[in-house]
Amino acid sequence: MTEESKRDRVRRLLIHPLEAHGFRKPGNVKLDQHDAFLVKLADALAYMDDPQLGALRDMLRYRGEGKARDAWPSMATIAALAETVAPRPVEEHPTIVSWFRSARGPQALAEGVLLAEFLFLEKRKRPPLNDSERRVIRERAQDMRRELELRRDRLRRDMPRAGDADWLRRYAGLERRVMALLPEVAAEVRKEGAERW
């Protein structure tokens, strides 16, 4: 038995059921363009798991376009709904990853805002644009550092509270995700053996 590709999984769970529901090619779109759209759609949604694809499918059933409301909606409409069901991970956005891997990633690390800036990027899908947004990131970074120290201190004193271990695990997971985007920096941090943030 051959393993199902991610693209085929999206077709099975989303595209084919919506076609069976009555979705069709929009009248003003050529067949080859529509076929390319469906391939692009399958690739764009491959990050979603099965239940997420099912939820998106159910939401899209009522989003048909055209006079009969049975034409496939635009990629913009589908992508916006997909974000509400399951935000696309930052790692799936090449432009954002490129920006983060540029000089900005190491600079954010040096400023002590790396994780907070990553969370901003994950939510907004864009870098901060003004001083107000950068201030919010700095404040969040400070809050995260305080929370990290507080929870680590309670564990060191053998006085943990409910949720401390889970919070620290999630923090460590976030830290791994971010450092994976900065391989040169991660290697340098490991080499120095320093805890930089």
Side-chain angles (χ1 to χ4, degrees), residues 8 43 58-60 65 75 77 88 99 112 130 132 141 143 145 151-152 159 180 185-186 192-193 195:
D8 287 339
D43 289 343
D58 292 343
M59 292 170 75
L60 284 170
E65 295 181 354
M75 184 66 80
T77 298
R88 190 174 182 188
W99 182 85
N130 55 48
S132 173
D143 291 345
R145 278 193 299 276
R151 291 175 187 264
R152 281 181 174 170
M159 299 175 66
V185 174
E192 294 172 3
E195 190 172 290

Side-chain angles (χ1 to χ4, degrees), residues 12-118:
R12 176 175 54 83
L13 295 171
L14 182 96
I15 295 172
H16 294 156
L18 287 174
E19 288 174 335
H21 181 67
F23 271 39
R24 62 169 180 76
K25 173 186 79 61
N28 61 346
V29 175
K30 294 180 180 173
L31 184 58
D32 61 333
Q33 291 173 323
H34 182 66
D35 290 343
F37 163 80
L38 292 178
V39 169
K40 185 177 176 185
L41 178 65
D43 289 343
L45 301 178
Y47 74 93
M48 300 178 87
D49 64 24
D50 291 4
Q52 292 165 345
L53 286 168
L56 180 60
R57 179 190 62 233
D58 292 343
M59 292 170 75
L60 284 170
R61 287 180 191 273
Y62 308 101
R63 297 292 197 290
E65 295 181 354
K67 284 183 183 178
R69 312 289 292 161
D70 62 352
W72 276 92
S74 69
M75 184 66 80
T77 298
I78 296 171
L81 286 173
E83 278 292 312
T84 64
V85 172
R88 190 174 182 188
V90 170
E91 296 90 340
E92 299 270 338
H93 290 272
T95 306
I96 294 174
V97 169
S98 172
W99 182 85
F100 213 63
R101 283 187 173 151
S102 71
R104 182 58 207 156
Q107 184 180 355
L109 177 63
E111 293 170 9
V113 298
L114 187 65
L115 294 184
E117 193 160 313
F118 178 86

